[in-house]
Amino acid sequence: MKNELSHIKELLDEKYFQFNNQSFIETDPISIPHQFSKKEDIEISAFLVATIAWGQRISIINNGNKLMRLMNHEPHDFILNFTKKDALLFETFVHRTFNTTDCVYFLNALKNIYVKYQDLENAFSKNNSENEVNVKQAIVDFRTLFLKTPHQTRSEKHISNPDAKSSAKRLCMFLRWMVRNDKQGVDFGIWKSIKPQQLCLPLDVHTGNVSRKLGLLTRTQNDWQAVEEITTVLKQFDAKDPIKYDFSLFGLGAFEGFK
């Protein structure tokens, strides 16, 4: 078994270096926050595009760019000064089940967070001690904070809840973008209050199926229990940066059709 895991690690390391480079950016939703250099602009654009990151990648990127245009390509300034009049700009915005109502609510919730906490990192980390970050609890606490802004019940489904067994794939992906910094130019590494070893795998159809094919994941559902299971396994391959293998697992499934 140890020898088999060694071979799997070799494969995942190879694919990590193959996919984790700047050529990955252009066709991935992470291309949206890469349009910016200011921390607040990066994290706002990243959070919004991660929120709509399901479905066809080209559609995600197109709608992410549309959001940035509607925000005058200055997301931080736009959020701080967001008004009811500005909300009218989003009357026709829709991405699958994420509609105008949801979008306006998210913008209002972000404004509330930036007024009270200055940035998203502070909001995510407000209950964490530096060495004892529990990403699941951080997501749950952030969700509670986010939902304090008045909203329709329908919008709650767009902010994942690991306590309800959700894999919280999009929020885990957002955290990967913000926290990891391996000098390869894809992830940003602009958050310091969460460490790479504390992250959890963004579990989706691709990463889940490839993990099961490789024998790394036994749970059949893509839920939070599966996230914890596969993340624990990946820590055997790299204890300090286990989620770098998101590139490997996703690339094998999405780009190479590994099933």
Side-chain angles (χ1 to χ4, degrees), residues 152-165:
Q152 293 186 20
T153 302
R154 60 154 285 120
S155 296
E156 295 183 6
K157 66 186 176 187
H158 294 296
I159 185 87
S160 301
N161 184 9
D163 272 350
K165 299 185 177 181

Side-chain angles (χ1 to χ4, degrees), residues 33-45:
H34 269 288
Q35 298 172 14
F36 305 100
S37 57
K38 179 180 165 184
K39 178 187 178 182
E40 293 83 1
D41 288 336
I42 292 170
E43 63 182 17
I44 291 170
S45 59

